[in-house]
Amino acid sequence: MPDGSNFSVHNEGKEVDAGANRAKRKRKKADLKAKAGKYKEACELYDQAICLDSKSHLSFYKRGQSLMKLVRYGEALLDFKTAIELHPTVDIEYYKACAAAHVGLNQLGQAESLFLKAIDAAELSGKNDTLLFFELNQLRSYIRAKERLITMYESGNVREAKHMIPTVSKNRYVDLDAGLLFIKIYYKLGEYDNADIESKKWYAKSKRSMIDTLSKPHRDLLFFRGMVLYRQGKHDAAQLFFGTLVKRVPSFKKASAMNEKLRELADNVRRGYKALESKSFSVAVEAFTKAISMDPQNRAFKLRVLRQRVNAYNGMGNHQQAIVDLTWMVDNADEEEEIEEFLSLRAACHEENGNVNAAIDDWREIRELSYEAERRARPNIRRLKRAKKSESRKDFFGVLGVEKNATERDIRLAYRKLALKWHPDKNCGSEEETKAAEEKFKTIQEAYDILKDPLARERHANGDDVSDSEDSFASYGGYDGHCGHGYDDDTDFVDMMFFMHMFGRRGGRPFGEGDGGFSGGGGHYGFYY
């Protein structure tokens, strides 16, 4: 007969083995969940494994790893310490994991002491682990750099702190806490593009671990990611982050305030767009102005909304106010394409206001931006110069009181009638009256001299300034002509003359046959040596 006590012990041993096996199966399932990035579910399965076998150091160690991914460093630290206590021998990896948890908790001194313990344990076991010394040096370097970075940031030396970011970020122990510090430094300096790169990187790294729970570092990361997008004028994207925070952490007041602000901003911008589409320009101006007043320091947002307010002002015919907005936009734009767009819009507004000189100045400023911009600006400068000339040009048809299609006989009769009326000999009143009559008579004579010549009359009817030698030259295919290549400054003319000197031509009329170009009628270029 078997002894009863031995039978009881034997059964207990079987139960322990069965529990350990079930724990092992649970742990395998948990490993798969952790590999898929489902760390919360993995933790639950590790909990079950620990309940089935509370002496398994491996279950505590692996649960600690999943907790680290969830940025629950305090709980992870407890699990790693328990794993160290339960392990029959010294496992260096457990010490390293424990040190990493201390780093996450910003307990860098404790992390360093754990590495020293791991090195002592390795020496006692006869192992010469050079990698441990390397990692210890890495940790010590990170501790010093991070402490210095924090000190600089808190003391206001943000620019100096910025120069340390590349060095600190390369360390293998860099964590989310340091990443948040990088984002804050760039944000405080107004370098939103760099802050965007950094926040995007850390959000991608932490995205999986934020699915189930949000730790304080995760909340801060989401908030600053939203703030960076907001400063870049990407309000819709920013609102997604603030909305997520409000939904998952209702007590986060800063996120709630930003979410509400962005909702109101979006409502005003949307109202402005709708008013613009329905041609209710005054309502659009009011809506866009209110949106800008809510966030006047946000340059990217202000540029975007001012662009629409300019459209509204132009729709109202208030080109002067549009010019004021465009001037601010030109001064604050960074991209060359934006500057060119805003300058061309301002030139159009000046033209609408009748200020041709200011419009020409804007196009000249565009011309200095780039070679492509210069090509686009030249035709507009020439057009405006001709428009400026035509404004000051006398209407000789009007002077004689005849239509553009008048015959030579009509022109001659009108001239004789007016010449008799305004001849100085017939207007011998006061000195002022005599002088006015003389000027009038000279104008009538000038008009007749032009209109009696069929070719000059045709050119005058087409808007050419017949009395201007430059314009006269241009009409035959010259340097400023609408028929020829067209040049608008002395440099272009010198370039053209140099070209003609280097490359001669044969045949045809000099400088073209009226339809423009240098080739003339059937001519061709030849080389002179």
Side-chain angles (χ1 to χ4, degrees):
M1 293 290 292
D3 184 39
S5 61
N6 289 336
F7 181 74
S8 175
V9 169
H10 181 68
N11 284 341
E12 284 177 10
K14 281 188 174 181
E15 286 177 8
V16 169
D17 290 341
N21 287 331
R22 286 200 300 273
K24 189 176 181 181
R25 288 194 292 272
K26 289 287 183 184
R27 197 163 55 241
K28 283 184 178 179
K29 288 181 181 179
D31 290 345
L32 292 172
K33 292 290 183 183
K35 195 173 181 180
K38 299 177 180 179
Y39 301 115
K40 188 175 181 182
E41 293 179 28
C43 283
E44 290 171 358
L45 287 167
Y46 287 130
D47 288 344
Q48 294 173 25
I50 289 168
C51 288
L52 290 167
D53 184 8
S54 60
K55 301 297 182 181
S56 171
H57 58 85
L58 196 56
S59 296
F60 282 100
Y61 172 68
K62 291 197 170 184
R63 187 175 70 175
Q65 285 184 316
S66 289
L67 288 167
M68 287 288 286
K69 293 291 184 182
L70 292 169
V71 199
R72 290 157 63 177
Y73 299 124
E75 296 170 66
L77 181 61
L78 291 174
D79 275 354
F80 293 142
K81 284 182 176 180
T82 305
I84 289 170
E85 289 171 5
L86 292 172
H87 203 287
T89 58
V90 175
D91 193 313
I92 295 168
E93 291 300 319
Y94 287 10
Y95 278 106
K96 285 162 68 175
C98 203
H102 277 300
V103 170
L105 291 167
N106 212 26
Q107 297 169 351
L108 303 179
Q110 290 93 321
E112 187 177 3
S113 65
L114 275 167
F115 259 106
L116 291 171
K117 283 182 181 179
I119 290 169
D120 290 341
E123 287 175 353
L124 286 172
S125 61
K127 292 179 182 178
N128 185 16
D129 196 341
T130 54
L131 186 61
L132 270 177
F133 286 99
F134 174 76
E135 290 188 11
L136 176 62
N137 288 331
Q138 282 270 302
L139 179 63
R140 284 172 170 170
S141 173
Y142 177 65
I143 289 169
R144 289 194 298 271
K146 188 176 178 181
E147 285 176 346
R148 190 178 169 196
L149 194 68
I150 292 169
T151 304
M152 284 180 175
Y153 179 76
E154 290 177 350
S155 62
N157 297 327
V158 188
R159 292 202 174 276
E160 289 182 31
K162 174 196 162 185
H163 295 307
M164 286 192 66
I165 291 176
T167 305
V168 179
S169 62
K170 287 176 185 176
N171 195 291
R172 69 184 297 269
Y173 286 99
V174 67
D175 56 356
L176 179 57
D177 188 48
L180 279 168
L181 192 58
F182 302 158
I183 297 165
K184 288 176 184 177
I185 289 167
Y186 285 131
Y187 185 86
K188 198 165 187 178
L189 288 170
E191 296 182 12
Y192 302 122
D193 289 341
N194 286 331
D196 177 54
I197 293 167
E198 203 67 41
S199 62
K200 191 185 292 183
K201 179 178 78 178
W202 283 101
Y203 176 68
K205 283 183 178 180
S206 310
K207 197 173 182 180
R208 278 186 174 182
S209 60
M210 288 190 284
I211 293 171
D212 303 311
T213 184
L214 281 181
S215 63
K216 187 181 182 305
H218 284 148
R219 292 199 300 269
D220 290 344
L221 175 62
L222 287 175
F223 180 74
F224 273 99
R225 178 76 183 129
M227 289 300 296
V228 169
L229 290 167
Y230 163 68
R231 288 297 177 192
Q232 290 180 316
K234 300 171 184 176
H235 288 184
D236 293 340
Q239 201 167 6
L240 288 174
F241 285 92
F242 294 131
T244 301
L245 279 170
V246 169
K247 194 178 291 183
R248 297 183 65 178
V249 192
S251 58
F252 201 154
K253 292 182 180 179
K254 285 184 179 180
S256 299
M258 285 303 302
N259 193 50
E260 191 59 36
K261 180 179 181 178
L262 284 176
R263 186 182 289 117
E264 192 177 346
L265 271 172
D267 288 343
N268 280 306
V269 172
R270 203 176 295 114
R271 186 162 63 92
Y273 274 113
K274 285 182 179 178
L276 203 57
E277 287 175 5
S278 61
K279 299 189 185 302
S280 302
F281 299 118
S282 58
V283 176
V285 167
E286 180 192 348
F288 291 136
T289 303
K290 188 173 180 182
I292 292 167
S293 68
M294 291 178 67
D295 193 13
Q297 303 304 319
N298 194 329
R299 188 183 62 84
F301 171 69
K302 192 173 179 180
L303 279 171
R304 183 161 57 89
V305 178
L306 278 179
R307 176 68 181 83
Q308 301 306 319
R309 193 168 76 173
V310 165
N311 289 338
Y313 277 132
N314 284 333
M316 294 169 65
N318 189 352
H319 304 298
Q320 189 56 46
Q321 195 57 51
I323 289 168
V324 172
D325 282 355
L326 286 164
T327 300
W328 188 92
M329 292 160 73
V330 168
D331 292 340
N332 288 273
D334 292 328
E335 299 296 326
E336 187 180 287
E337 291 81 4
E338 284 185 337
I339 295 170
E340 182 180 345
E341 179 192 0
F342 300 152
L343 281 170
S344 62
L345 286 170
R346 191 171 71 179
C349 290
H350 280 308
E351 199 173 343
E352 288 290 335
N353 273 354
N355 193 346
V356 179
N357 287 333
I360 291 173
D361 289 341
D362 279 342
W363 281 110
R364 280 176 172 160
E365 197 171 336
I366 290 171
R367 191 172 62 178
E368 300 300 319
L369 293 175
S370 67
Y371 174 72
E372 290 298 325
E374 181 182 17
R375 290 181 61 189
R376 289 187 286 271
R378 281 185 179 277
N380 288 286
I381 294 172
R382 289 197 295 270
R383 175 181 59 79
L384 289 168
K385 281 188 171 183
R386 282 196 289 269
K388 186 179 174 183
K389 286 178 183 177
S390 65
E391 286 178 5
S392 59
R393 195 172 290 154
K394 294 174 184 176
D395 179 13
F396 292 138
F397 292 104
V399 170
L400 296 184
V402 296
E403 299 294 330
K404 287 186 178 182
N405 58 356
T407 63
E408 289 184 24
R409 184 174 180 278
D410 293 336
I411 292 169
R412 188 168 56 254
L413 289 173
Y415 163 68
R416 286 178 179 176
K417 182 180 177 181
L418 290 170
L420 286 170
K421 180 181 177 182
W422 293 100
H423 198 282
D425 293 343
K426 290 192 175 184
N427 293 273
C428 300
S430 64
E431 186 178 345
E432 289 182 3
E433 289 175 350
T434 303
K435 192 173 181 179
E438 286 176 357
E439 290 297 323
K440 187 75 173 176
F441 184 77
K442 282 180 183 178
T443 303
I444 292 165
Q445 186 63 50
E446 184 183 6
Y448 180 63
D449 288 342
I450 295 296
L451 298 184
K452 72 181 181 181
D453 181 356
L455 182 59
R457 182 168 71 246
E458 183 183 354
R459 288 177 50 217
H460 181 69
N462 290 334
D464 293 339
D465 188 357
V466 183
S467 61
D468 182 50
S469 59
E470 180 185 306
D471 206 64
S472 176
F473 179 72
S475 68
Y476 285 100
Y479 64 88
D480 188 51
H482 51 279
C483 300
H485 177 79
Y487 298 90
D488 58 81
D489 55 30
D490 294 337
T491 306
D492 294 321
F493 181 71
V494 171
D495 291 343
M496 182 271 289
M497 293 305 294
F498 175 76
F499 180 87
M500 291 299 294
H501 175 73
M502 292 298 295
F503 301 98
R505 57 177 304 285
R506 299 173 187 170
R509 289 168 57 187
F511 297 99
E513 279 289 357
D515 284 335
F518 294 117
S519 63
H524 63 277
Y525 293 105
F527 290 96
Y528 288 115
Y529 295 93

